[in-house]
């Protein structure tokens, strides 16, 4: 009987890992491939919005895809913490129809918490003691593509994913997690990630200086981080970079230089 229960336990763990890999990989593939295909279809209309003159090679994209898949395997192992919390009853999940007010509040809370975690974790990864082992893999993509969204070394993959179970349990202690809130948050996270690495700036002129939109990061914002490294650590918002003095001093100029080009103009290096 004990052997049967042990075998059942390990089968459950293996099944959970398989399911997590499938879900994470599907999200990544739909987002990265979707943006790649869409931008390919409309390339004639957006080529002048390419941020860098350089273009990533097929080998670059394959490296980013391979590294992203390796990171997804790590994400799936970390995901076991969420599974364990569910099994232990530490992570209550709301049943029935979603409560719209709670759903919106949870999505907003998760996005803000994630952005804060990412900014400070990201800055820590740029410390000399951590950069080479944990973050250099991501910065091999000097001209990133959407496939670089999860192109992390295993150590960074742990840092990138460990916030999820921690965040879930914090929010669930206030109100049971709304399943749709989790779905929307995860969809928003991967969409912003692949667009931020896409290499094309599709925002409109004045976007970065407007009080209505200037607090949102752009593709140029993150592309500058890949080319220069010392600035623009934020994920969704520019708040932390502005408060901490880590926003690129020529961010607005670089952004306007890209979005101000005519379709016939040459692409200039960011």
């Amino acid at each position: 009987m004990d052997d049967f229960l042990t075998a059942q336990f390990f089968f459950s763990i293996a099944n959970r890992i398989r399911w997590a890999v499938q879900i994470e990989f599907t999200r990544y593939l739909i987002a990265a491939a979707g943006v790649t295909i869409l931008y390919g279809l409309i390339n004639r209309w957006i080529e002048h919005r390419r941020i860098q003159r350089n273009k990533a090679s097929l080998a670059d994209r394959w490296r980013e895809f391979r590294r992203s898949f390796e990171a997804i395997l790590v994400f799936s192992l970390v995901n076991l913490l969420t599974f364990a919390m569910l099994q232990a009853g530490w992570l209550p999940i709301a049943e029935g129809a979603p409560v719209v007010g709670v759903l919106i509040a949870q999505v907003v809370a998760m996005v803000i918490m994630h952005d804060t975690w990412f900014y400070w974790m990201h800055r820590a990864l740029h410390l000399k003691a951590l950069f080479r082992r944990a973050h250099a893999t991501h910065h091999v993509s000097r001209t990133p593509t959407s496939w670089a969204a999860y192109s992390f070394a295993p150590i960074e993959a742990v840092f990138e994913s460990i916030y999820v179970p921690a965040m879930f349990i914090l929010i669930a202690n206030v109100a049971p997690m709304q399943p749709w809130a989790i779905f929307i948050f995860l969809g928003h996270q991967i969409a912003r990630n692949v667009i931020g690495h896409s290499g094309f700036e599709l925002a409109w002129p004045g976007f970065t200086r407007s009080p209505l939109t200037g607090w949102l990061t752009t593709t140029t914002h993150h592309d500058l981080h890949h080319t220069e490294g010392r600035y623009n650590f934020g994920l969704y918002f520019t708040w932390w970079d502005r408060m901490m003095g880590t926003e690129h001093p020529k961010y607005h100029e670089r952004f306007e230089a890209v979005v101000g080009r005519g379709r016939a103009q040459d692409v200039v290096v960011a």
Side-chain angles (χ1 to χ4, degrees):
M1 185 66 177
D2 288 342
D3 289 343
F4 174 77
L5 292 175
T6 301
Q8 191 176 42
F9 170 77
F10 282 110
F11 177 79
S12 175
I13 294 296
N15 192 53
R16 176 63 189 184
I17 293 173
R18 179 195 60 78
W19 180 82
V21 170
Q22 181 179 334
I23 294 298
E24 287 288 351
F25 183 70
T26 299
R27 285 199 311 120
Y28 165 77
L29 190 61
I30 289 174
V35 168
T36 299
I37 294 169
L38 174 62
Y39 284 16
L41 291 173
I42 64 174
N43 183 261
R44 61 180 294 188
W45 294 285
I46 67 170
E47 180 60 28
H48 64 293
R49 291 292 193 93
R50 184 185 293 276
I51 298 168
Q52 299 185 36
R53 185 188 303 276
N54 297 329
K55 295 183 180 181
S57 67
L58 183 60
D60 292 327
R61 290 180 170 85
W62 170 244
R63 185 196 68 253
E64 291 170 346
F65 174 82
R66 187 178 70 253
R67 286 292 192 177
S68 291
F69 184 73
E70 291 170 359
I72 286 170
L73 296 178
V74 176
F75 294 166
S76 300
L77 293 175
V78 174
N79 185 264
L80 291 176
L81 290 174
T82 305
F83 175 65
M85 290 190 302
L86 281 168
Q87 293 291 97
W90 297 349
L91 184 58
I93 301 294
E95 298 179 358
V99 180
V100 176
V102 175
L103 186 153
I104 293 172
Q106 288 185 344
V107 171
V108 171
M110 285 190 285
V111 170
I112 292 175
M113 289 169 67
H114 186 201
D115 183 74
T116 299
W117 165 258
F118 182 88
Y119 176 86
W120 290 104
M121 178 270 298
H122 194 186
R123 284 197 67 178
L125 292 181
H126 274 263
L127 295 174
K128 189 174 181 180
L130 288 174
F131 184 82
R132 182 174 294 180
R133 293 183 178 181
H135 195 48
T137 294
H138 190 64
H139 276 273
V140 172
S141 296
R142 295 278 291 176
T143 305
T145 75
S146 295
W147 299 100
Y150 285 164
S151 183
F152 308 133
I155 295 175
E156 179 171 1
V158 172
F159 288 141
E160 293 277 358
S161 58
I162 196 67
Y163 80 92
V164 173
M167 177 180 64
F168 283 173
I169 199 167
L170 285 172
I171 292 176
N173 275 328
V174 177
M177 288 298 304
Q178 298 278 329
W180 273 102
I182 297 173
F183 179 81
I184 292 170
F185 166 75
L186 293 176
H188 169 267
Q189 177 267 326
I190 190 62
R192 290 292 302 274
N193 204 340
V194 298
I195 291 171
H197 288 91
S198 66
F200 291 88
E201 184 54 76
L202 302 188
W204 51 90
F207 186 96
T208 66
R209 298 183 188 274
S210 170
L212 298 177
T213 55
W215 47 280
L216 295 168
T217 57
T218 62
T219 304
T220 302
H221 187 275
H222 193 65
D223 202 274
L224 281 170
H225 178 75
H226 273 265
T227 56
E228 300 192 27
R230 297 178 296 162
Y231 305 101
N232 297 4
F233 297 95
L235 180 59
Y236 307 129
F237 310 118
T238 59
W239 301 331
W240 284 110
D241 279 310
R242 292 181 179 180
M243 284 190 290
M244 304 309 298
T246 55
E247 185 172 83
H248 194 289
K250 294 186 177 181
Y251 165 49
H252 300 291
E253 296 174 35
R254 300 288 181 87
F255 172 84
E256 293 296 342
V258 175
V259 301
R261 296 186 196 125
R263 284 177 58 180
Q265 288 180 260
D266 290 335
V267 176
V268 181
V269 177

